[in-house]
Amino acid sequence: SSLLLMSGVVVTVGLCRRLARRRLRSRPLLFAFLVETFSTFQICACTNELSLLGNVEPKPHTALTLTYGFTVLHGLTLAGSTCNPCGTLQPMWAGGTALSMGGLKIAAQFVAAVLARVFMHFIWSLEMAEPHLGALSQGCSSPMQTTEMQAFCIELLFSVVFQLAVLRAESVSPKYRVHLIALLITMLVYAGGNLTGAIFNPALAFSLHADCFYDKFLSYSLVYWIAPCLGKLVILYVF
């Protein structure tokens, strides 16, 4: 049921992106906002569902396999979209994207994060699959299983590694690049998922753990918003 749900999200988003591409090419701002919203919605909705499958046996093989598979799927179906506020900073820093366009895309990413969370909570409330039972009663299921400073350093390091890999992989053929990036993300999730969740995406972090941001805004914004963005700025400044 979970796989069918995530596949349905991917297919629906693909249709919406195609429709927007056909109808809104003459309105670049609206087109950019909607495409970024649809794409980020897909990643956030699927990852919300994947977060419920972390305890499926055999552990952690099932969760890591699904993480790799859907990361490849996202890479193949969401070409041209950033889906990460940190990634949007790069063209803004280089002057390739206007400040207004960059701000619009970041706004779209957070709008999509909220919409994905609302949508998935509605789906979970229907309790159509076993993993959905009791999913809404968890509240702040904190991914931070270490100290705040260690969590900050881990997310900062993972962001630096990921963003550097993305830059280095630009010269690789797209059909191989998606697998390299997916493998790296899976390795980072395996290495630090039990400590911080290995998210390194501010919009995705908010979609997954909004309740935690409400309860402990300063610590969670430091770890899941500031650390990834700082990692991106370090890469841009150094390289």
Side-chain angles (χ1 to χ4, degrees):
S1 299
S2 293
L3 292 177
L4 288 175
L5 172 62
M6 290 185 285
S7 299
V9 169
V10 172
V11 171
T12 303
V13 168
L15 293 175
C16 291
R17 280 168 54 93
R18 180 174 297 181
L19 181 63
R21 191 174 292 109
R22 288 180 177 178
R23 299 294 181 87
L24 298 174
R25 278 296 190 181
S26 60
R27 305 177 66 179
L29 289 179
L30 180 59
F31 172 74
F33 180 85
L34 289 179
V35 168
E36 196 67 29
T37 300
F38 294 146
S39 303
T40 308
F41 178 90
Q42 175 177 314
I43 289 181
C44 291
C46 290
T47 308
N48 267 280
E49 186 67 17
L50 283 173
S51 67
L52 298 182
L53 305 178
N55 294 322
V56 174
E57 297 291 346
K59 296 188 297 184
H61 305 83
T62 301
L64 292 175
T65 301
L66 290 173
T67 298
Y68 175 82
F70 273 90
T71 303
V72 171
L73 186 60
H74 294 325
L76 293 174
T77 59
L78 302 179
S81 297
T82 307
C83 309
N84 187 337
C86 299
T88 308
L89 293 176
Q90 179 179 346
M92 293 173 63
W93 178 284
T97 299
L99 184 62
S100 58
M101 178 62 78
L104 186 70
K105 289 186 176 182
I106 292 175
Q109 291 156 3
F110 277 97
V111 168
V114 174
L115 292 176
R117 181 174 179 81
V118 172
F119 172 75
M120 293 309 299
H121 277 211
F122 169 73
I123 295 296
W124 294 346
S125 69
L126 302 178
E127 298 185 343
M128 296 184 298
E130 183 178 351
H132 299 170
L133 301 177
L136 296 180
S137 61
Q138 295 179 0
C140 174
S141 55
S142 176
M144 198 186 304
Q145 302 300 316
T146 183
T147 65
E148 183 177 309
M149 182 54 64
Q150 288 178 336
F152 176 86
C153 293
I154 290 171
E155 287 292 310
L156 175 63
L157 175 62
F158 283 5
S159 178
V160 169
V161 171
F162 174 72
Q163 300 295 343
L164 179 59
V166 170
L167 287 177
R168 294 300 187 185
E170 288 181 350
S171 59
V172 179
S173 172
K175 63 180 180 180
Y176 299 120
R177 185 191 309 152
V178 292
H179 291 280
L180 291 174
I181 297 300
L183 180 60
L184 174 63
I185 291 176
T186 304
M187 293 172 60
L188 293 178
V189 170
Y190 177 72
N194 62 326
L195 297 175
T196 66
I199 302 173
F200 45 89
N201 181 334
L204 178 59
F206 186 71
S207 183
L208 291 173
H209 306 291
D211 293 334
C212 299
F213 280 92
Y214 300 150
D215 296 340
K216 301 177 181 179
F217 177 78
L218 291 179
S219 61
Y220 274 76
S221 61
L222 178 68
V223 172
Y224 295 105
W225 288 354
I226 296 177
C229 292
L230 182 60
K232 181 63 176 181
L233 292 176
V234 168
I235 289 296
L236 292 176
Y237 180 77
V238 174
F239 293 95

